[in-house]
Amino acid sequence: MSRFSDLKNIGVRLHHGDVSFDFVGRKKIWYSISALILVLAVGGLLGRGLHEGIEFKGGSVYTIQNTSASQNDARKAVEPFTDGTEAIVQKVGGDGLRIQLAESDADKTKQIAAAIAKDLKVAPDKVNTQVVGPSWGKEISKKALQGLVIFMILVVIYLTFAFEWRMAVAALVALLHDIVITIGVYALVGFEVTPGTVIGLLTILGYSLYDTVVVFDTVKENAKNITKQTKRTYSEAANAGLNQTLVRSINTTVVALLPVASLLFVGGGLLGAGMLKDIALSLFVGLAAGAFSSIFIATPILADLKERSPEMRLLAKKVAQRRASEAKAAKAAEAAGIPADQAEGHPDVDEETEADEDETVPAQGGAPRAGAARGRARTRPGGKRKR
């Protein structure tokens, strides 16, 4: 019961900083994992390439409903018309077939439809034919690419004005990361790229961007006036913001993946729903990649870019100096037998710490004044002076 209670309250504990995962500090691990996934995705894209649907490369599609013929029977029926290219035959529903050929000549499509009806023993009017010319497919590809480029430009402009240019760059890298992985998975599994794929891709880009913006908004709030303090660096503030939104990101992703998984594995796998399967795969891969990039990629990249600025470098130096001073004070308190909770402000601890600092203070001539603290009078409580 206590474990369940801990899991139930993990979001509250993360938000208040009682529990924290060092995502930004372990950025090299996440970068390495991401690089490996990207290499596999690019390798699949360059090796196998994308399996473009009829809408992009042109061709003809023949759909037959209520048939007992097998996929092999359909391949044999259209084999004389393939000219050496392999026909794509898919199951549609429980008793339907979908045959895709590269042939787009109107006269030949009639002959092919008649041959399919004869060999599969169905009525000619039961063979539904769809023909798409290659020029139309090229126009669709061009419009899809234009839409993607416009989307990216608008994202950069919005984030630059709403937040800052470093956040825009980090979000853009995360989006490109999601696109490459999604397209690479399509190449690896051999799924057909259709307009449904493009719709799913644009949908997951919006989702990934939304998740990243939510994290960045929390980071921006944590980093407000951060240069006026010396308790934590920008990377630590960014990591705190990431932890505060972690449970929300995970919950949102899981809830979104469940119905998409149903579309992919039930609708696409069992029912053979072609368009649903194309949309569902891009959504499933993209949602998972978007959740990964918003947590493990976007914020660490933002922290990297931010820490390169002069003001953040100076802040990191001040934080390090403060922590070194606190460590010396703790060590002095331990040597003096003073409890840790009473060390701050205790005269003995202050004298020890100040003595260490005075020994490194440069004199007017530039050389350290060794032992300067020994000649300085200090006042103890009660008005007594110690020399």
Side-chain angles (χ1 to χ4, degrees), residues 84-125:
T85 61
E86 184 179 357
I88 301 172
V89 182
Q90 298 172 316
K91 275 282 187 182
V92 179
D95 56 359
L97 289 173
R98 182 177 184 269
I99 307 169
Q100 180 177 323
L101 298 176
E103 181 60 60
S104 59
D105 182 80
D107 294 330
K108 281 191 175 182
T109 55
K110 295 180 180 179
Q111 299 177 12
I112 296 171
I116 291 174
K118 180 180 178 181
D119 291 355
L120 300 187
K121 299 178 181 180
V122 296
D125 59 348

Side-chain angles (χ1 to χ4, degrees), residues 97-231:
L97 289 173
R98 182 177 184 269
I99 307 169
Q100 180 177 323
L101 298 176
E103 181 60 60
S104 59
D105 182 80
D107 294 330
K108 281 191 175 182
T109 55
K110 295 180 180 179
Q111 299 177 12
I112 296 171
I116 291 174
K118 180 180 178 181
D119 291 355
L120 300 187
K121 299 178 181 180
V122 296
D125 59 348
K126 297 296 182 181
V127 181
N128 183 30
T129 304
Q130 177 187 4
V131 181
V132 178
S135 59
W136 189 82
K138 291 180 180 178
E139 185 66 20
I140 287 293
S141 302
K142 181 180 177 182
K143 294 295 183 182
L145 183 60
Q146 287 178 349
L148 184 61
V149 172
I150 292 173
F151 176 82
M152 292 292 188
I153 293 175
L154 292 177
V155 165
V156 172
I157 293 175
Y158 168 76
L159 290 179
T160 300
F161 282 96
F163 295 97
E164 60 168 307
W165 69 267
R166 294 178 184 86
M167 289 187 175
V169 171
L172 182 61
V173 171
L175 287 177
L176 293 174
H177 168 276
D178 300 341
I179 292 174
V180 173
I181 289 178
T182 305
I183 295 176
V185 169
Y186 256 85
L188 288 172
V189 301
F191 270 33
E192 190 178 52
V193 178
T194 66
T197 305
V198 178
I199 293 171
L201 185 64
L202 294 176
T203 302
I204 61 102
L205 291 180
Y207 174 87
S208 175
L209 178 64
Y210 165 75
D211 206 30
T212 302
V213 167
V214 169
V215 177
F216 282 179
D217 187 60
T218 306
V219 171
K220 180 182 178 182
E221 186 66 26
N222 285 351
K224 189 176 182 180
N225 298 324
I226 193 170
T227 55
K228 296 181 180 180
Q229 53 82 50
T230 57
K231 291 185 177 180

